[in-house]
Amino acid sequence: MKRRFSLVRSLTLGLISGTLLILSPTLFAEEPSQPLPMQELRAFAEIFGRIKENYVEPVDDKTLLEYAIRGMLSGLDPHSSYLNEEEFADLQAGTSGEFGGLGIEVGLEDGFVKVISPIDDTPAQRAGVKAGDLIIRLDEKPVKGMSLEEAVGLMRGKPGTEVVLTIAREGEEKPLQITVVRDIIKVASVKGRMLEEGFAYIRLSHFQARTTDDMLKKISQLKAESKDGIKGLVLDLRNNPGGILNGAVAISDAFLTEGIVVYTQGRSEESRLDFNAAPDDVLDGAPMVVLVNGGSASASEIVAGALQDHKRAIIMGSQTFGKGSVQTIIPVSRTAAVKLTTARYFTPSGRSIQGEGIKPDIELSDVKVTRNEPDQATRIKEADLAGHLDKGKGEEAAPKTDPEKRAQPASAQGPDIEEDYQLSEALNLLKGISLYNSWN
């Protein structure tokens, strides 16, 4: 088994809200110090004193300074923030696969909380929350003006309790109210099954510490189930909001044999980090289709971009979210840290995903399909005609697969192929590629 990937420096990584994180107090080279802006600092001290003296309620120094730090960071971009002791613990829990809440990845947009993606098999997904929804109220409290941390704090709570989300959704004339029951979120990041003989399906809902090992075990299991091995794979990254960078690189590397998977670049040349693939491909070159949509963000965009640039997979679906920045966790005390955007990440060909996303090779609408049952009473075939010729004495044709038994039931292993248009198209494309390759 090859070492899953190589990295120019050893780093510890984590995730919150679809954001790639690097836990390191001294990641990049220091720039020459600039003189302090004394006039602005005097203004800050003056305002601090005025608040202490004149605000309608007493406010302690520690609280005021924390507010100042939060405001300074939130003004930079949607992903930089201050983390107190509880928030830092929540960030670490997000990479373990078990945490409390509703089961959605969120960010800020125009002052409202935007749903990047509901996580599979969580209260939010079951209640009908969708990627792209804007949360404008939490119970009776307007979200406008809240920090992301404040809004997330309101969504957390004791398992079994309810929260009412008022949501603005594209295509809806008025806001929707969705009641979600809080629960302990246990994320199974890997699902999979055989769609048909030889054609496998893997669904990744998150990139966690165990995701790569779980995926490799699932692929080995599916290989054993199929008498012909795996002739093609659909990798489903739809509504995958991201996760730890190690996982994204290792998943990409599982299907690549050489070259850069992704690289990050900050303000200086010394800040560049290259992540490279190691030899061998777990599918031995079998064709792949990767499904993405607007809920595919961050780490899932790394995988899609790497496989697309190396021409290892065909990307199908709709344009991805466009989250292409890296956040560094910088401890400032034993109980507090700063999450600061320090770099952008780039695909092997040098494309920045930030604000752009990954454009699919084949764009597909997200539509719902239903099965059309044929009218057996009126359908007539050649064999039904009086006096028809028999088939002669040629070679016996191979028995055809019963369409009712061909596709395995989805159940807990992913969507039903008969209702999922994009998955159905991905399978048809794989079958076409496999058939073409068999002719050559």
Side-chain angles (χ1 to χ4, degrees):
M1 176 63 67
K2 68 177 178 180
R3 179 166 54 90
R4 291 256 57 92
F5 61 90
S6 58
L7 169 60
V8 297
R9 301 189 208 176
S10 176
L11 302 173
T12 305
L13 301 128
L15 158 83
I16 188 171
S17 297
T19 302
L20 293 178
L21 302 177
I22 299 176
L23 300 169
S24 173
T26 56
L27 178 61
F28 303 121
E30 294 184 0
E31 293 187 354
S33 60
Q34 300 294 323
L36 293 174
M38 297 308 300
Q39 183 175 345
E40 288 76 9
L41 288 174
R42 289 191 188 98
F44 175 83
E46 174 70 17
I47 294 169
F48 186 91
R50 294 287 185 179
I51 294 171
K52 287 281 294 179
E53 183 178 347
N54 299 319
Y55 187 65
V56 65
E57 298 285 349
V59 188
D60 63 84
D61 292 348
K62 180 180 178 182
T63 300
L64 276 179
L65 288 172
E66 181 173 324
Y67 288 165
I69 294 170
R70 288 188 185 277
M72 180 168 55
L73 287 161
S74 66
L76 297 175
D77 63 70
H79 307 292
S80 296
S81 64
Y82 173 79
L83 302 173
N84 60 26
E85 184 175 6
E86 180 182 354
E87 291 161 346
F88 186 58
D90 288 339
L91 180 147
Q92 293 172 308
T95 65
S96 69
E98 182 172 334
F99 50 95
L102 306 182
I104 52 176
E105 295 287 347
V106 294
L108 278 181
E109 182 173 293
D110 299 328
F112 297 111
V113 175
K114 183 173 183 177
V115 177
I116 297 173
S117 174
I119 301 171
D120 286 358
D121 303 321
T122 60
Q125 187 197 52
R126 291 191 290 268
V129 178
K130 296 183 178 181
D133 285 349
L134 286 179
I135 300 174
I136 58 178
R137 281 180 178 270
L138 292 166
D139 288 327
E140 296 302 317
K141 295 183 179 181
V143 170
K144 188 75 170 178
M146 288 186 187
S147 69
L148 185 60
E149 287 75 18
E150 290 172 323
V152 170
L154 289 175
M155 286 186 277
R156 294 195 183 106
K158 186 177 179 181
T161 60
E162 295 182 347
V163 60
V164 179
L165 309 181
T166 302
I167 285 173
R169 178 178 295 170
E170 186 176 356
E172 296 289 340
E173 294 182 358
K174 58 182 181 180
L176 307 173
Q177 286 195 331
I178 299 177
T179 300
V180 185
V181 180
R182 298 179 178 95
D183 199 358
I184 298 298
I185 308 301
K186 297 181 179 180
V187 180
S189 63
V190 179
K191 299 178 181 179
R193 70 183 193 275
M194 297 303 295
L195 298 172
E196 292 187 10
E197 175 59 37
F199 296 99
Y201 169 84
I202 294 289
R203 162 73 180 154
L204 303 183
S205 62
H206 241 72
F207 290 89
Q208 299 170 346
R210 306 184 303 270
T211 299
T212 304
D213 288 340
D214 289 348
M215 185 194 75
L216 294 175
K217 289 177 183 176
K218 178 62 69 173
I219 289 176
S220 295
Q221 175 190 331
L222 296 178
K223 282 182 177 179
E225 289 180 12
S226 175
K227 64 180 181 180
D228 297 326
I230 294 179
K231 297 187 292 185
L233 173 70
V234 178
L235 182 63
D236 190 351
L237 300 180
R238 291 173 297 179
N239 293 324
N240 181 322
I244 60 174
L245 182 56
N246 300 58
V249 175
I251 293 293
S252 303
D253 182 31
F255 308 110
L256 298 173
T257 58
E258 62 180 358
I260 290 178
V261 174
V262 67
Y263 68 89
T264 66
Q265 181 67 58
R267 289 169 62 179
S268 65
E269 288 298 324
E270 292 78 12
S271 68
R272 173 160 172 162
L273 300 174
D274 289 6
F275 297 81
N276 298 293
D280 83 44
D281 173 357
V282 70
L283 294 180
D284 298 320
M288 293 179 62
V289 172
V290 178
L291 291 175
V292 296
N293 64 5
S296 306
S298 192
S300 56
E301 294 175 288
I302 287 178
V303 175
L307 297 180
Q308 186 179 53
D309 280 4
H310 283 285
K311 302 188 186 312
R312 179 63 187 87
I314 295 173
I315 313 300
M316 294 182 72
S318 53
Q319 194 151 338
T320 60
F321 184 77
K323 169 65 181 68
S325 61
V326 178
Q327 280 66 47
T328 302
I329 301 300
I330 306 172
V332 294
S333 72
R334 291 185 177 181
T335 59
V338 170
K339 177 161 69 80
L340 188 66
T341 300
T342 53
R344 293 178 175 87
Y345 64 78
F346 297 82
T347 69
S349 66
R351 291 182 294 161
S352 172
I353 297 169
Q354 178 61 31
E356 295 292 331
I358 297 294
K359 185 177 181 180
D361 300 304
I362 300 175
E363 294 196 30
L364 294 175
S365 300
D366 185 11
V367 298
K368 186 175 181 179
V369 295
T370 57
R371 183 171 181 171
N372 183 22
E373 297 292 346
D375 187 349
Q376 300 290 347
T378 59
R379 189 175 65 179
I380 298 176
K381 298 185 293 185
E382 168 72 13
D384 298 321
L385 300 177
H388 69 274
L389 295 173
D390 60 26
K391 63 182 181 181
K393 295 182 179 180
E395 293 183 4
E396 290 289 328
K400 294 184 177 180
T401 305
D402 185 342
E404 296 295 329
K405 298 180 181 178
R406 181 177 58 190
Q408 297 183 12
S411 63
Q413 297 304 321
D416 189 335
I417 194 168
E418 292 185 349
E419 298 179 359
D420 189 329
Y421 167 70
Q422 294 178 335
L423 178 55
S424 176
E425 288 297 291
L427 175 60
N428 287 336
L429 179 58
L430 278 180
K431 290 162 69 176
I433 295 172
S434 179
L435 182 60
Y436 179 81
N437 289 341
S438 71
W439 295 340
N440 297 302

